[in-house]
Amino acid sequence: MARTRLARLRPALGVVPFGVYLLIFLVVPTVTVVIGAFAEDGRPSLANLAGLVEPSVLTALLNSVLVSAVTALIGGVVGALVAYAVVTGKPDGALRRLVTSVCGVLAQFGGVTLAFAFIATLGISGVVSTWLDANLGTGLTSSVWLFGLKGLVLVYAYFQIPLMVIVFLPALDGVRVQWREAASNLGATTWQYWRLVGLPLLTPAFLGSLLLLFANSFAAYATAAALVSQGSPIIPLWIRSALTSEVVLGRQNFAYALALEMIVIVAVVMAGYSLLVRRTARWVR
Amino acid sequence: MVLPDVHQKFVGPGGTRPDQGGHPRRPGPGELTGRRGPRSCSVRLRGRAILSTVTGGATLRGRGRDHVQRAREGGDRSRTMRTTRTSRRFTSRITAAVATATAITLLGAGCAPPAKTADPAASTSGAATWTSAQAAGGMDALVAEAKKEGTLNVIALPPDWANYGTIISTFESKYGIKVDSAQPDAASQDEINAADQQKGTDRAPDVFDLGQAVALANTAKFAPYQVSTWDTIPTNFKDSSGLWVNDYGGYMSIGYDTAKVPAPSGVKDLLKPEYKGKVALNGDPTQAGAAFNGVVMTSLANGGSADDIQPGIDFFADLKKAGNFLPTDPTSATIESGQTPLVIDWDYLNAAESAKISTWKVTVPSDALVGGYYFQAVSKDAPHPAAARLWQEFLYSDEGQNLFLGGGARPVRADAMQKAGTIDAAAYGKLPPISGEPTILTTDQSTKAADVLSKEWSKATS
Amino acid sequence: MGPVSGTVTRGTSPQRAARRRLTVFRVVVLGLVGLFFVVPLVSMLDFSTRSFRTGGRTGAAWAKLVTDPQLSGAIVTSLVLAVLTVVLMVVLLVPTMIWVRLRVPWAARPLEFLCLLPLTVPPLVIVVGLKNVVLWLNYLFGDTPYVLALLYVVLVLPYAYRALDAGLSAIDVTTLAEAARSLGAGWATVIVRVVVPNLTTALLSAAFISIALVLGEFTFASLLNYDTLQVAINLQAKSDAQESIAASLASILFAAVLLVVLSVVSGGRRRRSASASARTTAVTTGTPAPTTPAQA
């Protein structure tokens, strides 16, 4: 096809506005963060990166990773079960559509509204906590576990489970009934089928979804900001503290370094997710 | 002619129509949506696996099998109908264009925009340069100019903080100037951030009310102004050139609900089991000035000093271990609902709660007297400079200072007003009695303590 | 074809038992998880209507949603922002995606990568690096909270891209465009008058997801000091917990109603279109309609 280079380039101009928009609003902030992490007071410096390995920041990183991993696991397992329960119903049925759209809403629920929902439920004068205290003698109304890491895990599960359902449903859709039939033709029990056929095929997709959930939980800010006011137990809250603290000043660039740390971790996790999903694509056609 | 070209353009990559699939398409696992129909341009980029789409898009649907093979064996970018050589040159051109665009945009957006010229009204009146009421031509001229501006932007002034709600409404009704109170919940650093962000706009803050650390670090943003009552303000409560003045202050105190907890006789009492799950600090000491001074107070009570905040951190660690520490932010909502029956906070803030709840009492521990004053300043880039200066005059007038007193705060001109007899004696008498010399941290001590806190606080309270 | 299901042939006893087990499993899982999700919502309703003094029920907190000027101002700001974001997203994304599909097919992969990039870069990181961009925006547009719409489009991109991509895959864009072009239509007409009307459900889906996202967005607004719904709710919580919880529940219910309506509408459309056209992929593969909210 003898087209001049210019002629080939011309149609691409239609994509330029979009590219420019993304450049300004996505690439520039990211690059600002990356450059700012290596600067201090306008001069290049590694001081902020050195600050990243301070014990309190490392503890926050560990907490972040821990909370993300636990919520990814909880969300992954429960979400997979819910997805399975939904997928075994009618493909076009009301249940499936209802669950999909409700999960769509709840996966976005996070943030201030979610924090308040749980404060209203399990907080110090929450509905469920007062009921549990009255009927089961638990000490929930005088305990503050909701505002610590344990509470964060429970609250994060609220949007991790729907996200898992949404991400994992297509994978379950790909598991064909012919496999099941073939397996039972060869004499396999349900357990054998799952152990030898179903689970191995679903594992890459499952692990990939877990990674997606991990990245989602790691990057979450609004919920923790609304729920936790004392201390900065996780990295996003450290960023908030570095930007808005009136006690320890001059940590703008440290916030950049923390943000760089976040990008790196989330990018690595998402790359792993992408690779895993690529593997699964081989099976499900 | 259009037609032959059209045909070429509309054939999808691989020479096949995108939606001619052998079988109905199944969505790839891990895809974020159940998609229908084949994807016309999904190409597996082996070598660029990392750079490729973040979610699994690598499903090949409805495409020729040869493409599947080639993509699998290749490890190369899958080719469309173009020849290899032209597409390489093409790619390099695209890369060059992208690189240029990136560089230009980065340069442009990386730099700050040109500074906006000052508000026309302000520049003609020159109010931004007035350093006192005399420079304005007298109080009446200042009032007239301020009324012409018509608006005042304040920031981070909660209505129940040192009676700011009443102060604002009194100012509004007295001079007919509308006060726009932004972000009442913001902290001092947020005020500076807002001033930076909104510089040159009509919404930028006109005046600041800042904690010590932030105020002294940002004097370059203030405009000097000496109020009419300048001489009655003690020297160590103001900057000599008028860049900042202390407006009100207080002492760290313990506020408590007598209906829910017994009265604490000192800071060390808070470790007792009667206060289990009931001791709250107003904010995070690594972020909020009030909480920071609260930790300084507990440090003083436990053998620390202005230079040593570690005993305070240890005290809170002990509180946490005993289960007495409540890591929630006490607000008037939580205090009224009984969630936070004991709060360590400035005495004027606790006093505001006494006005709302009859059983709320405030005590200032005699063995740990920590004082702190807030810093008032006029913004150098104030969009309403005359109104800003009038606000200063109002705050430091007898009326304004007495309004602070009404909120339980100690006005900076308290001594002078007491001597002159203009102080609100009833309100002054209601202030919690203090004995001893208060400790007020200097900037260096604050910085050192903040440094220690940022390292040790999370460890102590997590 | 179709999902793993217990719809094996009836009659034999072990299979009936297996089906029963499956049903029990489904009921238990969906019931328990459903409880976990409904209880906080019900608690919010209970908390916001509780009268602390009298111990009965009161709708005072809900009434304050409209009477409190600060909250109602923030609600209006958020709604306008949502509409602006949807408009900007449509104007920016739809022509680009159609154009890429029709004229620049080699850009499809990079486009997909770019659209899904905001998933990798956390919003918190974006807002940290946005200082200069916001200064420029304020310089160009004055100081209004509506410049947030430009920033929100970035957040909305992945979800909108997914919904629109699914919609575009489901229709035969090339044939439509070819037919229109051969009848003499210009590219603008092709995009606006030929392709877009076929994308209504996908557009609605993308729009509703964007609205839900903008209404729930807190990070950008709070760290850039704008007064939107979520920021106002967070602020309100300091003085009036019940009112803020009522506002939270209202915003969630609004987004939920939008998306459930969308799923009903898209379900109805799908049934109608599936019977009308020769394509039966949706029914046979049992996938959810591409236009139901994907990852919202």
Side-chain angles (χ1 to χ4, degrees):
Chain A
M1 193 169 48
R3 289 171 67 187
T4 63
R5 290 195 293 269
L6 219 52
R8 227 196 293 282
L9 219 44
R10 241 185 289 125
L13 286 177
V15 190
V16 164
F18 180 77
V20 167
Y21 174 84
L22 267 193
L23 210 71
I24 298 177
F25 290 103
L26 185 58
V27 176
V28 165
T30 316
V31 171
T32 313
V33 164
V34 171
I35 293 179
F38 292 96
E40 178 63 42
D41 279 338
R43 275 169 282 108
S45 139
L46 288 177
N48 292 308
L49 291 181
L52 284 180
V53 294
E54 236 178 77
S56 41
V57 183
L58 280 182
T59 318
L61 180 62
L62 193 66
N63 287 339
S64 263
V65 169
L66 215 64
V67 167
S68 306
V70 171
T71 53
L73 215 63
I74 294 177
V77 168
V78 177
L81 289 175
V82 172
Y84 182 66
V86 162
V87 112
T88 48
K90 264 201 305 228
D92 261 357
L95 174 70
R96 177 152 179 164
R97 277 188 292 129
L98 179 70
V99 170
T100 321
S101 48
V102 167
C103 284
V105 175
L106 291 177
Q108 281 296 320
F109 191 178
V112 177
T113 41
L114 182 61
F116 288 168
F118 271 89
I119 291 177
T121 316
L122 287 168
I124 295 177
S125 39
V127 172
V128 172
S129 46
T130 32
W131 185 87
L132 282 176
D133 276 5
N135 297 13
L136 296 180
T138 51
L140 284 177
T141 48
S142 53
S143 131
V144 287
W145 68 275
L146 185 65
F147 306 105
L149 288 178
K150 289 191 218 120
L152 219 54
V153 165
L154 181 66
V155 176
Y156 276 16
Y158 202 85
F159 58 78
Q160 294 283 64
I161 295 175
L163 183 61
M164 181 66 180
V165 171
I166 292 172
V167 174
F168 202 54
L169 259 181
L172 282 179
D173 274 339
V175 175
R176 301 206 188 139
V177 78
Q178 288 95 328
W179 301 341
R180 183 65 189 266
E181 285 170 2
S184 47
N185 268 341
L186 292 168
T189 63
T190 311
W191 172 235
Q192 277 175 323
Y193 163 71
W194 279 112
R195 187 165 62 91
L196 298 169
V197 180
L199 288 180
L201 287 171
L202 283 175
T203 306
F206 182 72
L207 289 179
S209 310
L210 280 190
L211 286 179
L212 182 65
L213 258 59
F214 180 91
N216 189 40
S217 170
F218 193 82
Y221 166 73
T223 319
L227 203 56
V228 178
S229 55
Q230 189 63 251
S232 309
I234 55 177
I235 293 283
L237 292 181
W238 257 99
I239 294 182
R240 170 178 73 169
S241 167
L243 287 176
T244 59
S245 168
E246 60 177 5
V247 171
V248 190
L249 302 179
R251 291 194 303 179
Q252 260 278 347
N253 289 82
F254 186 55
Y256 289 150
L258 288 166
L260 179 65
E261 188 179 50
M262 275 185 79
I263 298 181
V264 165
I265 293 180
V266 173
V268 163
V269 169
M270 289 304 266
Y273 167 71
S274 150
L275 287 171
L276 269 172
V277 155
R278 218 165 281 282
R279 271 201 58 189
T280 325
R282 233 189 292 150
W283 292 110
V284 190
R285 215 160 281 275
Chain B
M1 211 41 231
V2 171
L3 277 169
D5 249 10
V6 162
H7 236 290
Q8 292 288 54
K9 283 169 199 159
F10 286 124
V11 179
T16 58
R17 282 290 184 80
D19 54 344
Q20 284 166 359
H23 49 77
R25 185 192 170 275
R26 226 170 260 288
E31 284 194 9
L32 294 182
T33 173
R35 302 185 48 220
R36 275 203 307 164
R39 223 146 116 178
S40 54
C41 306
S42 49
V43 173
R44 186 181 286 230
L45 302 173
R46 273 292 196 83
R48 308 264 190 116
I50 305 290
L51 286 180
S52 295
T53 177
V54 171
T55 63
T59 54
L60 302 161
R61 300 269 174 269
R63 315 214 30 224
R65 288 240 41 103
D66 53 333
H67 277 272
V68 179
Q69 293 299 86
R70 232 185 298 159
R72 282 251 195 86
E73 297 154 10
D76 233 343
R77 279 190 82 168
S78 173
R79 296 295 167 219
T80 64
M81 294 178 343
R82 304 186 297 269
T83 63
T84 315
R85 213 185 49 190
T86 38
S87 53
R88 260 212 291 271
R89 262 184 292 178
F90 191 40
T91 317
S92 66
R93 293 224 146 222
I94 293 292
T95 326
V98 167
T100 331
T102 319
I104 293 174
T105 321
L106 282 178
L107 227 65
C111 317
K116 237 197 172 107
T117 53
D119 194 90
S123 56
T124 51
S125 69
T129 57
W130 294 340
T131 52
S132 70
Q134 275 88 327
M139 265 304 282
D140 297 321
L142 178 63
V143 173
E145 188 60 37
K147 282 196 182 151
K148 230 196 302 177
E149 284 171 358
T151 320
L152 177 73
N153 295 339
V154 298
I155 185 173
L157 300 184
D160 50 4
W161 181 291
N163 212 9
Y164 261 119
T166 320
I167 293 176
I168 290 174
S169 51
T170 315
F171 182 80
E172 277 183 324
S173 52
K174 181 165 179 179
Y175 295 110
I177 298 174
K178 184 171 158 321
V179 175
D180 188 13
S181 176
Q183 296 183 60
D185 197 45
S188 306
Q189 186 60 40
D190 294 320
E191 296 184 48
I192 300 292
N193 291 346
D196 284 337
Q197 224 173 288
Q198 297 159 8
K199 192 154 115 161
T201 68
D202 228 10
R203 207 168 57 120
D206 288 311
V207 288
F208 301 117
D209 186 25
L210 305 166
Q212 180 179 345
V214 178
L216 297 176
N218 288 288
T219 49
K221 296 193 167 63
F222 307 154
Y225 186 76
Q226 300 186 357
V227 290
S228 334
T229 51
W230 187 255
D231 301 320
T232 60
I233 301 174
T235 333
N236 45 342
F237 287 125
K238 61 191 179 191
D239 174 67
S240 48
S241 59
L243 280 175
W244 52 262
V245 199
N246 290 135
D247 42 11
Y248 60 89
Y251 300 98
M252 274 323 278
S253 66
I254 302 175
Y256 56 96
D257 193 343
T258 46
K260 295 196 166 59
V261 292
S265 55
V267 170
K268 292 218 187 100
D269 261 12
L270 299 178
L271 281 171
K272 294 209 184 107
E274 294 92 56
Y275 300 100
K276 194 168 163 81
K278 294 185 161 64
V279 179
L281 187 61
N282 186 8
D284 183 327
T286 57
Q287 293 180 44
F292 172 72
N293 282 293
V295 178
V296 173
M297 173 180 86
T298 55
S299 170
L300 289 181
N302 284 285
S305 70
D307 296 297
D308 183 18
I309 200 172
Q310 190 61 43
I313 302 177
D314 296 334
F315 178 75
F316 274 96
D318 293 335
L319 269 183
K320 175 94 199 318
K321 260 194 287 259
N324 290 14
F325 181 50
L326 195 62
T328 32
D329 235 5
T331 64
S332 42
T334 60
I335 292 177
E336 280 162 52
S337 65
Q339 289 175 11
T340 51
L342 193 146
V343 176
I344 298 177
D345 202 353
W346 293 118
D347 57 355
Y348 46 89
L349 297 181
N350 277 325
E353 289 304 319
S354 294
K356 292 189 209 156
I357 308 177
S358 53
T359 47
W360 191 263
K361 299 271 178 293
V362 183
T363 151
V364 177
S366 48
D367 56 341
L369 201 58
V370 177
Y373 276 80
Y374 269 75
F375 290 58
Q376 185 73 24
V378 174
S379 167
K380 200 167 62 169
D381 305 302
H384 313 101
R389 285 156 175 78
L390 183 60
W391 172 258
Q392 297 282 87
E393 294 288 349
F394 177 68
L395 287 184
Y396 290 95
S397 65
D398 290 339
E399 185 181 6
Q401 295 279 288
N402 274 325
L403 281 174
F404 277 133
L405 190 56
R410 277 153 223 279
V412 71
R413 289 179 54 229
D415 289 335
M417 282 163 69
Q418 211 179 16
K419 279 200 205 83
T422 48
I423 201 159
D424 184 350
Y428 201 56
K430 274 209 223 114
L431 292 176
I434 53 156
S435 49
E437 195 56 40
T439 314
I440 302 185
L441 264 63
T442 65
T443 325
D444 293 326
Q445 289 168 330
S446 291
T447 321
K448 200 169 97 176
D451 211 31
V452 173
L453 258 181
S454 65
K455 294 195 177 75
E456 303 291 323
W457 181 254
S458 332
K459 242 188 288 178
T461 53
S462 52
Chain C
M1 238 82 85
V4 177
S5 71
T7 54
V8 227
T9 48
R10 300 171 182 275
T12 56
S13 177
Q15 279 160 346
R16 256 209 300 260
R19 249 198 349 269
R20 242 200 316 270
R21 273 202 307 268
L22 184 66
T23 318
V24 166
F25 166 77
R26 293 179 67 209
V27 165
V28 165
V29 164
L30 288 174
L32 282 179
V33 174
L35 206 70
F36 174 66
F37 285 109
V38 161
V39 164
L41 296 173
V42 170
S43 308
M44 284 173 89
L45 186 62
D46 177 83
F47 193 93
S48 60
T49 51
R50 209 195 290 171
S51 170
F52 280 111
R53 274 171 285 114
T54 64
R57 294 275 155 216
T58 164
W62 285 85
K64 277 200 230 148
L65 284 182
V66 283
T67 54
D68 185 351
Q70 182 171 49
L71 203 55
S72 46
I75 291 177
V76 167
T77 310
S78 277
L79 286 174
V80 173
L81 269 176
V83 169
L84 276 178
T85 309
V86 167
V87 166
L88 273 172
M89 180 267 296
V90 167
V91 162
L92 190 68
L93 200 55
V94 172
T96 307
M97 286 177 73
I98 298 176
W99 187 256
V100 163
R101 221 166 243 265
L102 292 178
R103 297 293 308 275
V104 206
W106 55 264
R109 201 67 167 164
L111 180 68
E112 180 172 6
F113 171 64
L114 285 176
C115 283
L116 297 172
L117 202 54
L119 282 178
T120 317
V121 185
L124 184 59
V125 167
I126 300 178
V127 79
V128 163
L130 265 182
K131 191 168 74 127
N132 274 324
V133 176
V134 174
L135 283 176
W136 271 100
L137 284 178
N138 280 336
Y139 178 75
L140 291 171
F141 296 107
D143 185 49
T144 87
Y146 302 128
V147 297
L148 269 179
L150 286 164
L151 307 173
Y152 281 165
V153 176
V154 171
L155 293 182
V156 150
L157 267 182
Y159 315 110
Y161 174 83
R162 275 300 175 180
L164 289 171
D165 196 35
L168 278 174
S169 306
I171 65 175
D172 192 352
V173 190
T174 52
T175 310
L176 281 174
E178 225 174 71
R181 290 279 292 169
S182 60
L183 287 170
W187 283 113
T189 315
V190 168
I191 291 179
V192 173
R193 293 179 59 190
V194 176
V195 179
V196 165
N198 284 293
L199 284 178
T200 338
T201 339
L203 276 176
L204 274 181
S205 168
F208 284 179
I209 297 174
S210 310
I211 293 180
L213 197 144
V214 169
L215 285 180
E217 208 287 325
F218 175 74
T219 312
F220 274 32
S222 88
L223 288 174
L224 292 175
N225 300 318
Y226 288 110
D227 205 15
T228 61
L229 177 62
Q230 298 293 323
V231 173
I233 291 179
N234 197 26
L235 181 62
Q236 199 64 294
K238 312 251 176 205
S239 48
D240 190 346
Q242 284 186 300
E243 188 185 345
S244 58
I245 288 188
S248 313
L249 189 58
S251 69
I252 263 305
L253 286 179
F254 181 67
V257 160
L258 274 183
L259 287 169
V260 169
V261 160
L262 174 72
S263 106
V264 165
V265 163
S266 75
R269 261 177 199 264
R270 190 160 32 85
R271 272 193 284 274
R272 278 199 302 271
S273 71
S275 56
S277 80
R279 199 170 312 162
T280 54
T281 40
V283 177
T284 47
T285 58
T287 58
T291 51
T292 48
Q295 180 188 21

